């Protein structure tokens, strides 16, 4: 059983509430200036979400069978479920990035790189803070506090992928100019 305190849950709830409020305010301020994707980007985004969905279903099914045969799983169930869900979403995002469909025609990827870097640092700091006092295991099971580290790793992989894709696009542009 998790040993999370009431302040931890209050902090989590406040963080989620703040994120929702910020996103709602941003949406209200940008009423008609939403993302502008071309037809190719829309098609790729749709296919990537489909692939992400099927990966999630496949991972959930695999976990269902594994947990049925091995009653003592050494990882917190909430951590496994969250990791499966975020993996499906991240795969969709990686496909979009690789196919130049993640950013709309109006967005600047360099600005997002800064946001991702900050998110990575905050997730790593959160992981260090949560695990410094109590460690990453509770009752012999890997704790949900590791979710911050998992998110940081996914974001680092995404930043590397963006770097590779940007470098590749620049090389292709130089070759086309010749």
């Amino acid at each position: 059983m998790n040993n999370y305190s009431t302040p931890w849950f209050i902090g989590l709830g406040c963080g989620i509430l703040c994120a929702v409020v910020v996103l709602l305010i941003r949406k209200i301020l940008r009423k008609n200036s939403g993302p502008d994707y071309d037809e190719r980007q829309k098609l790729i985004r749709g296919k990537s979400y489909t692939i992400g969905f099927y990966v999630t279903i496949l991972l959930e099914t695999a976990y269902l069978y594994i947990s049925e045969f091995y009653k003592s799983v050494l990882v917190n169930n909430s951590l496994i479920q969250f990791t499966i869900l975020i993996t499906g979403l991240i795969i969709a995002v990686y496909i979009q990035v690789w196919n130049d469909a993640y950013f709309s025609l109006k967005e600047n990827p360099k600005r997002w790189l800064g946001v991702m870097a900050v998110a990575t640092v905050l997730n790593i700091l959160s992981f260090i803070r949560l695990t410094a006092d109590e460690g990453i295991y509770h009752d012999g099971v890997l704790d949900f506090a590791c979710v911050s580290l998992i998110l940081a790793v996914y974001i680092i992989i995404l930043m590397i992928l963006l770097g590779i894709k940007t470098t590749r696009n620049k090389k292709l542009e130089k070759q086309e100019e010749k």
Side-chain angles (χ1 to χ4, degrees):
M1 190 70 184
N2 292 332
N3 295 327
Y4 294 116
S5 63
T6 303
W8 187 88
F9 283 112
I10 291 171
L12 177 66
C14 288
I16 292 171
L17 182 63
C18 287
V20 169
V21 168
V22 166
L23 290 175
L24 285 174
I25 290 171
R26 184 175 178 210
K27 184 169 181 82
I28 290 169
L29 293 175
R30 292 183 165 191
K31 283 184 184 177
N32 294 327
S33 64
D36 187 24
Y37 298 105
D38 62 22
E39 292 299 319
R40 183 192 63 81
Q41 287 177 312
K42 289 177 184 177
L43 181 67
I44 291 169
R45 290 173 69 83
K47 286 182 180 182
S48 71
Y49 287 128
T50 302
I51 292 168
F53 172 76
Y54 285 121
V55 166
T56 302
I57 297 299
L58 180 69
L59 291 173
E60 285 288 350
T61 303
Y63 175 62
L64 175 70
Y65 283 110
I66 290 169
S67 65
E68 190 63 33
F69 291 114
Y70 299 100
K71 295 294 182 193
S72 62
V73 180
L74 301 175
V75 180
N76 182 310
N77 184 50
S78 299
L79 179 62
I80 293 172
Q81 293 298 320
F82 183 82
T83 304
I84 289 172
L85 288 173
I86 200 74
T87 299
L89 178 64
I90 275 305
I91 286 175
V93 169
Y94 291 169
I95 291 168
Q96 292 170 19
V97 166
W98 193 252
N99 291 291
D100 296 321
Y102 184 68
F103 297 107
S104 73
L105 302 173
K106 298 177 184 177
E107 287 180 302
N108 181 2
K110 291 179 182 177
R111 190 176 104 199
W112 278 101
L113 189 61
V115 171
M116 288 184 227
V118 169
T120 301
V121 169
L122 290 175
N123 275 302
I124 290 171
L125 292 174
S126 174
F127 173 75
I128 291 169
R129 170 64 184 100
L130 288 171
T131 58
D133 298 333
E134 301 175 13
I136 60 173
Y137 288 99
H138 287 104
D139 301 325
V141 175
L142 192 61
D143 192 41
F144 189 75
C146 293
V147 75
S148 298
L149 184 62
I150 292 168
L151 288 173
V153 169
Y154 279 151
I155 294 171
I156 290 169
I157 293 170
L158 179 59
M159 288 190 303
I160 292 169
L161 183 63
L162 278 168
I164 292 169
K165 184 62 178 164
T166 302
T167 304
R168 183 173 178 248
N169 286 350
K170 286 180 182 177
K171 285 182 183 178
L172 290 174
E173 286 176 11
K174 286 181 182 178
Q175 288 177 353
E176 288 177 3
E177 288 175 1
K178 291 180 182 181

